[in-house]
Amino acid sequence: MKDTTMTQASLYIVMPDELSQADVRNNLPDIYAVSGFSDLDTMFSLTEENMPQLIICHQSLFEDADSDRLSNLTQRCSESRVLIMGPPRPMTIQIAALKQGARGYFNDELPLTKLHDALQLILHGEVWVERHVISGLIEELTHTPTITDQQKQALDSLSPKEMEVAKLVSHGATNKMIAREMDITERTVKAHLTTIFQKMSLPDRLSLAIFFRDLR
């Protein structure tokens, strides 16, 4: 039965193994308009003018290759959200993927039924990685983002609860963890985040985490 609660999103799956592609397709609801490719060059040659909202790429496409291949992909497909999928990898590799523009790393040892959750998160501006990876990324980033006068002033406009949500995000907490910590619903957490993004002129959760990390 078609899930009518979500807006249909265009999705490209780039995986060398056709069976893996089929498994991914079969475990996603039909709210996605899916196209499959065996490699990145084929994807580009066939769809240069029509990039999708979402791209799932297998980790193997970026191993034993030019170290800039992922960053080239995310720059070339700047309007697409890229999710890397593959076997368990060290935190450093997952962090490197985020730094090169990927929106997350999906461990293929997780149930494939979780993949839809991951895609919906990154589609709505969040990232999909393990909590310790976010914490590691925040601590590793050495550059200080530009903080505008407007953003500094906006800090004073945040309510105590919005400030608490932002600080918990900067420590790598998920919406579910924040809801439990603050004894509120996840819907309320999402509402607070939307307001914070608007007030602080920040595009997404990772930018918020980095911003408030630098305030600590």
Side-chain angles (χ1 to χ4, degrees):
M1 180 179 296
K2 185 171 182 177
D3 185 346
T4 59
T5 63
M6 300 285 185
T7 302
Q8 189 174 43
S10 53
L11 167 66
Y12 288 177
I13 302 173
V14 190
M15 293 183 176
D17 184 71
E18 292 185 2
L19 290 178
S20 297
Q21 271 195 45
D23 283 344
V24 170
R25 286 174 180 262
N26 293 336
N27 280 277
L28 289 175
D30 59 359
I31 64 167
Y32 300 99
V34 181
S35 299
F37 304 91
S38 60
D39 59 76
L40 293 170
D41 290 338
T42 302
M43 182 191 80
F44 286 131
S45 66
L46 295 177
T47 61
E48 184 73 36
E49 301 301 322
N50 187 27
M51 287 295 107
Q53 293 169 274
L54 297 163
I55 301 176
I56 298 175
C57 289
H58 197 270
Q59 169 66 18
S60 62
L61 296 170
F62 308 103
E63 294 177 344
D64 302 320
D66 183 346
S67 61
D68 292 330
R69 195 169 188 186
L70 176 54
S71 58
N72 289 338
L73 167 66
T74 55
Q75 289 170 20
R76 197 166 176 178
C77 305
S78 58
E79 299 301 315
S80 304
R81 307 288 174 91
V82 177
L83 178 68
I84 306 302
M85 183 174 178
R89 285 293 185 264
M91 180 175 69
T92 52
I93 290 181
Q94 297 188 46
I95 287 177
L98 292 176
K99 286 183 174 180
Q100 292 178 74
R103 304 299 297 184
Y105 189 98
F106 187 88
N107 182 343
D108 62 13
E109 291 186 351
L110 290 172
L112 281 177
T113 51
K114 286 282 188 183
L115 188 56
H116 172 59
D117 295 335
L119 290 172
Q120 287 300 309
L121 274 180
I122 68 171
L123 185 62
H124 292 91
E126 300 194 35
V127 292
W128 178 277
V129 286
E130 297 170 81
R131 185 187 179 197
H132 73 277
V133 174
I134 284 289
S135 298
L137 176 62
I138 292 170
E139 295 304 322
E140 184 176 317
L141 289 174
T142 57
H143 73 277
T144 302
T146 300
I147 300 176
T148 67
D149 290 338
Q150 290 82 1
Q151 287 174 327
K152 291 176 182 177
Q153 293 172 4
L155 279 172
D156 294 332
S157 72
L158 296 183
S159 70
K161 286 191 178 295
E162 289 165 356
M163 283 292 292
E164 187 175 356
V165 167
K167 289 176 181 177
L168 288 169
V169 167
S170 76
H171 286 281
T174 64
N175 286 359
K176 184 174 292 186
M177 295 165 65
I178 294 171
R180 186 164 56 245
E181 174 73 19
M182 297 180 62
D183 194 24
I184 57 178
T185 66
E186 288 187 61
R187 182 184 294 273
T188 301
V189 174
K190 291 178 182 178
H192 282 319
L193 284 170
T194 298
T195 302
I196 294 167
F197 294 151
Q198 292 172 346
K199 287 183 177 180
M200 301 301 301
S201 299
L202 294 169
D204 53 35
R205 190 187 197 93
L206 184 57
S207 300
L208 175 65
I210 294 169
F211 183 95
F212 276 82
R213 182 284 310 267
D214 288 331
L215 294 178
R216 296 207 294 266

